[in-house]
Amino acid sequence: MLSIGDSCPTYPLRGYSLTMYSCDGLNAEEIETGQSTNLLNQPIKIDDMYCSSVGANMARIAGFGELVGYRDKATNVPSLAPKVLTRYGKTLFPESNIKEANALQCFRPLSPDDLPIVGAVRSVPGVFVHSGHGTLGWTLCLATSECLAAALTDEIIGIDTQKIFHLPGDVSVERARLSPDRFL
């Protein structure tokens, strides 16, 4: 008998993010009342690292995808990523209080073919998957959520599975390309 793991093979991809705070020239009252500005007008990409504003006087830089195993073993695998993120952060925002020790590591599920796994798991009725986005989680999640909603709706109203996910902006994706069953 097949299990969910057969339809949803993912591997953890370790990535990092680092949040920078800049209070340069602002007093405590201005910070508390939100009288501040975004550090960036729009997200930027430098050398496969992404930086965007995440709040008043805050920016986050993120990057890297390291295949180092599951969390219990990955803690023993050293990485230069926090040092590199800090160096880039200090270059972009020299007045920020950025510290290498504040880098956060996270694990992102990555599918074997680097495409998200979205849809019904046919071997386990009633189970739907939305995983495997890897480093593109935030980039793809809204579109693939639309795909998952379409798959759930089709199941609920009893429509035979369509062959295409239709997305806003006249974009379409073949369901088989994202199907959990593509790995069986």
Side-chain angles (χ1 to χ4, degrees):
M1 178 171 174
L2 296 174
S3 69
I4 294 174
D6 296 321
S7 295
C8 189
T10 57
Y11 192 80
L13 187 67
R14 181 172 69 180
Y16 290 86
S17 71
L18 188 57
T19 302
M20 298 160 281
Y21 301 89
S22 177
C23 299
D24 192 37
L26 296 175
N27 63 40
E29 183 180 323
E30 290 172 320
I31 294 167
E32 287 178 17
T33 58
Q35 297 174 11
S36 51
T37 60
N38 284 337
L39 293 179
L40 292 169
N41 291 329
Q42 65 184 25
I44 59 172
K45 179 182 180 218
I46 304 170
D47 296 337
D48 291 326
M49 286 180 273
Y50 298 87
C51 188
S52 62
S53 284
V54 291
N57 293 337
M58 295 170 39
R60 182 167 296 138
I61 189 167
F64 297 94
E66 302 170 333
L67 295 168
V68 294
Y70 290 88
R71 186 181 302 272
D72 59 338
K73 295 193 173 68
T75 54
N76 298 328
V77 180
S79 176
L80 293 175
K83 186 181 295 279
V84 173
L85 285 177
T86 303
R87 187 181 75 225
Y88 275 85
K90 284 181 178 177
T91 301
L92 290 169
F93 305 102
E95 78 288 351
S96 72
N97 66 346
I98 188 169
K99 294 180 183 83
E100 183 179 332
N102 293 339
L104 300 174
Q105 74 174 353
C106 59
F107 290 85
R108 302 168 178 124
L110 174 70
S111 72
D113 61 2
D114 200 27
L115 288 174
I117 303 168
V118 181
V121 177
R122 296 293 165 210
S123 61
V124 186
V127 173
F128 290 77
V129 176
H130 186 247
S131 183
H133 294 74
T135 59
L136 296 174
W138 285 105
T139 306
L140 298 176
C141 70
L142 294 177
T144 56
S145 293
E146 291 270 347
C147 296
L148 182 64
L152 285 164
T153 302
D154 290 351
E155 181 84 8
I156 290 168
I157 60 176
I159 295 177
D160 288 337
T161 304
Q162 307 289 322
K163 294 191 186 274
I164 303 285
F165 285 125
H166 297 283
L167 300 169
D170 293 327
V171 174
S172 58
V173 178
E174 288 181 48
R175 288 186 183 214
R177 297 216 45 210
L178 303 180
S179 171
D181 296 334
R182 71 184 188 266
F183 300 109
L184 298 179

